[in-house]
Each structure stands twice: as structure tokens, then as C-alpha cells.
Amino acid sequence: MRAERSDCVLGGSGHAPGPRFGTTVAEQGPGVPDLWADGMGVIVRRTVFYPGQDDGGLQCPHCGRLEQRDGSYTGPVPSQWRRFHSAAKGWMDGGPAEATCAYCGLPVALNEWQWESEPWAVGALGFTFWNCPPLLPAFVAEVGGRLGHPVRLVSGKF
Ligand SMILES: [Zn+2]
């Protein structure tokens, strides 16, 4: 990504793809990185990162109980999901990063919940790659290595 910020992301400025962009993605489709919104946004605040579709199931890593959500956002919200959402909202407001399992009663760090589909993640630093092909796992691992902190890839479409 280029060091200087420019108008290349939605909702602000970001970092446009640099000359080595192709070494970070699995495949570079036509028009990428030539789209207007093809840059990387940087988020530096407590944020819940979610895939934006197909939430699938949420599973407690302690008891293994898997709870489905239909993804319609119009039906009743299962109890595990309510607890997770409430905890994530509380974390954004400065609270602890854990939710208690509705079934076994054990606390679970928000980033330790298991996801049936694309995972969610909470963090105080995030990078949004707009209109980007899938990132190479080696690139994601290198980012984590340079940060000296675990990273989680959250993929989705909005
Ligand atoms: Zn549990």
C-alpha cells in the first residue's frame, strides 16, 4: 500500500495499492486495483469487525454448544447471540472483551468464540481492504508478525 493517504476508500481517505499489491493477494482480478475504492482504510478505535452476511452459527469453545441464527435479522435473536451482541456493544463502550456462555456459564473472550461461517473479531486496530481479492494467508501472518499481536481475517461484502 502507498504511504500517503488519498481518496481511495469509502468514508474517508486511505492508502492506495502500491507496486507490490499483487504479492499480497491470491488472485488479482480484472480492474483490481484500478477501482476507485480499492485502498486500505485504517481503523484505530475499539471496533467490532463482522463479515456483513451469513452469520451462521456461534459456538462456545468450552461446551461446544452451537447456536444458529437464521441471518434474516427479523426473527427472534437466540440467547447466545443476544449475550454476544450485548458483550460486544459493552466492549465498544469500554467494558471487558468477553461474553458468558448462555449454556455452560463460562466466560469466553470475544475473539475465542467459534464461528460456523466467517468469523467476527473485536480489536482496537483494523485494516479494511476495499474491493480486494482474498488476501494471502502468508501476508496476513506477516502483518501479525510485524505487529507482534494475533490478527484475525474477517472477510465479507457490504
Ligand atoms: Zn458454553
Side-chain angles (χ1 to χ4, degrees), residues 60 62-63 101 104:
C60 170
H62 297 302
C63 68
C101 175
C104 69

Side-chain angles (χ1 to χ4, degrees), residues 59-65 80 100-106 108 113:
Q59 185 175 32
C60 170
H62 297 302
C63 68
R65 180 77 181 254
Q80 196 78 290
T100 302
C101 175
Y103 302 102
C104 69
L106 292 174
V108 180
W113 287 93

